[in-house]
Amino acid sequence: MSETNRQWLLHARPVGMVKESDFELRTSPMPKPGDGQVLVRTRWLAFEPAMRGWMVDRPNYIPPVGIGEVMRGMAVGEVVESNLDGYAPGDRVSGMLGWQEWALGDGALRKLPEGTDPRLALSVLGLTGITAYFGLLEVGQLKEGDVVVISGAAGATGSVAGQIAKRKGCRVVGIAGGAEKCSWLTDKAGFDAAIDYKNEDVGARLSELCPDGIDVFFDNVGGPILDEVLARIARGARVVICGAISRYNEEEAPPGPRNYYRIVAQRARMEGFVVIDFLARAAEAAAELTKWVAEGSIVWEADVQKGFENAPRTLQRLYTGANFGKQLLEL
Ligand code: NAP
């Protein structure tokens, strides 16, 4: 067993686009598990756009990571030593292990069912899939026949949200960056149409594809795309604010949506949510999603980078759209 533990610490609060120099790679002694603890060897790290928000000291739904602390992050690892009933060496677990090669954990770690693909556990069956499920069905109050628009549609959360809406009998339009992601949406993920926001006029294409208005908008992006959708919402529309990645690396808050008054005229509702509030019901979502993946009615992609030293560079990929599917790093 290795004698040392490499860890990525938060070194500086980022200004603008997150940089590698915002982190520091440190080598520490191996941690030793105490009573009620397990020692876990990290195998896979998962990356979330929200990490940029965890790095700054602003009001948020979770306290920021402190300077000098290990960067927070979901991971899958393998139990190597256990002083905790119910956990044995060899068990695969998922949880907030952080950006480190070895971590201590407790009963908050979730044991993965035998044979579960760790990439799936960290994507469709993990936080992003659960976010899509409850965001669309509970917050979005999805109904059969709705016209649904998803931004960030080819990403980990958006692609699952769109496929759930298809399963529920909706017409689904995805918005994503680039021809390759748009082809994947229509050819592989079963979306009815896709708009390439980097090369097409989003407003004009939405008018063409949703002539009677948009019933549900699942927004991962914010900014001008949110504005274009608000201009075209149907009566009683539900605008689900899941995220706003277009602004995560901006220092100044952009001006508010120009078209927000359409919410009044169309008796619509716009509501944000945080997946943490639904975690008590995670098993319900995971059971359905497991079934749909097994049936082949939800397809998924994972973008797997390699090497622990590449963790900061892997995070950056989310904000340039370099990732295709759930952004992961295999150690
Ligand atoms: P993801 O969609 O797999 O990856 C991020 C994608 O965002 C990129 O691939 C890129 O796709 C797009 N993007 C980046 N910069 C953009 C910009 N300026 N304008 C438009 N699109 C941009 O990541 P994810 O983990 O599934 O997260 C998606 C969203 O869900 C994020 O906003 C995240 O914060 C949110 N989220 C919210 C919750 C919650 O509890 N509310 C939980 C999980 C995730 P393109 O190539 O298409 O540009």
Side-chain angles (χ1 to χ4, degrees):
M1 196 188 289
S2 162
E3 292 295 305
T4 55
N5 185 19
R6 286 192 301 166
Q7 302 173 306
W8 277 107
L9 311 183
L10 182 62
H11 178 64
R13 304 236 174 256
V15 177
M17 182 60 83
V18 61
K19 300 180 292 302
E20 189 159 356
S21 59
D22 297 328
F23 301 95
E24 182 195 344
L25 186 59
R26 184 177 70 180
T27 303
S28 309
M30 282 285 292
K32 295 233 178 306
D35 277 352
Q37 287 189 316
V38 288
L39 175 65
V40 179
R41 178 168 199 162
T42 311
R43 296 291 191 190
W44 299 79
L45 291 177
F47 293 78
E48 332 291 338
M51 285 171 157
R52 174 64 177 76
W54 303 344
M55 295 170 71
V56 290
D57 193 0
R58 290 194 201 124
N60 205 341
Y61 59 89
I62 192 171
V65 178
I67 298 292
E69 285 178 6
V70 174
M71 182 59 195
R72 180 186 295 145
M74 277 294 291
V76 162
E78 191 182 310
V79 174
V80 172
E81 214 179 310
S82 175
N83 296 326
L84 180 61
D85 284 348
Y87 294 74
D91 285 347
R92 280 187 152 182
V93 291
S94 68
M96 284 286 178
L97 299 173
W99 289 13
Q100 50 187 343
E101 293 177 311
W102 298 88
L104 297 178
D106 57 21
L109 292 175
R110 192 171 73 86
K111 282 212 282 184
L112 300 192
E114 190 68 31
T116 306
D117 183 334
R119 298 170 307 160
L120 202 51
L122 289 169
S123 60
V124 184
L125 307 183
L127 277 186
T128 41
I130 293 167
T131 301
Y133 183 92
F134 288 112
L136 200 58
L137 300 180
E138 294 280 326
V139 186
Q141 291 291 304
L142 192 77
K143 293 193 303 292
E144 191 179 341
D146 279 341
V147 172
V148 178
V149 173
I150 316 267
S151 64
T157 308
S159 62
V160 176
Q163 293 179 84
I164 293 174
K166 279 308 297 175
R167 277 196 56 91
K168 300 283 179 187
C170 300
R171 175 171 161 74
V172 184
V173 175
I175 305 175
E180 192 192 359
K181 288 185 180 182
C182 286
S183 303
W184 182 82
L185 287 173
T186 51
D187 300 350
K188 296 273 169 44
F191 282 52
D192 296 289
I195 302 173
D196 175 359
Y197 76 92
K198 291 186 173 165
N199 296 296
E200 293 187 286
D201 178 336
V202 173
R205 292 279 285 136
L206 284 172
S207 294
E208 186 188 315
L209 292 165
C210 312
D212 299 323
I214 295 154
D215 299 303
V216 174
F217 179 40
F218 189 97
D219 191 18
N220 289 308
V221 163
I225 290 177
L226 171 60
D227 242 335
E228 292 296 351
V229 174
L230 284 175
R232 292 166 180 81
I233 50 176
R235 192 147 179 172
R238 288 130 280 152
V239 176
V240 180
I241 305 296
C242 174
I245 194 168
S246 70
R247 58 181 290 172
Y248 291 172
N249 287 287
E250 302 292 333
E251 285 310 304
E252 296 287 320
R258 258 182 318 135
N259 296 323
Y260 84 95
Y261 193 73
R262 295 296 296 157
I263 292 171
V264 178
Q266 295 294 61
R267 287 78 158 171
R269 178 165 62 78
M270 179 153 141
E271 184 175 335
F273 74 103
V274 178
V275 65
I276 294 171
D277 300 337
F278 290 99
L279 288 185
R281 292 173 58 193
E284 185 188 317
E288 291 257 80
L289 290 162
T290 303
K291 191 174 72 188
W292 296 338
V293 169
E295 286 169 9
S297 63
I298 287 196
V299 297
W300 56 282
E301 293 286 333
D303 184 316
V304 180
Q305 301 296 304
K306 304 229 181 220
F308 182 68
E309 58 287 354
N310 292 319
R313 279 193 284 274
T314 305
L315 175 61
Q316 285 170 330
R317 294 171 63 80
L318 291 171
Y319 309 112
T320 60
N323 65 309
F324 199 148
K326 179 70 194 179
Q327 186 65 71
L328 302 174
L329 181 73
E330 188 176 6
L331 270 62

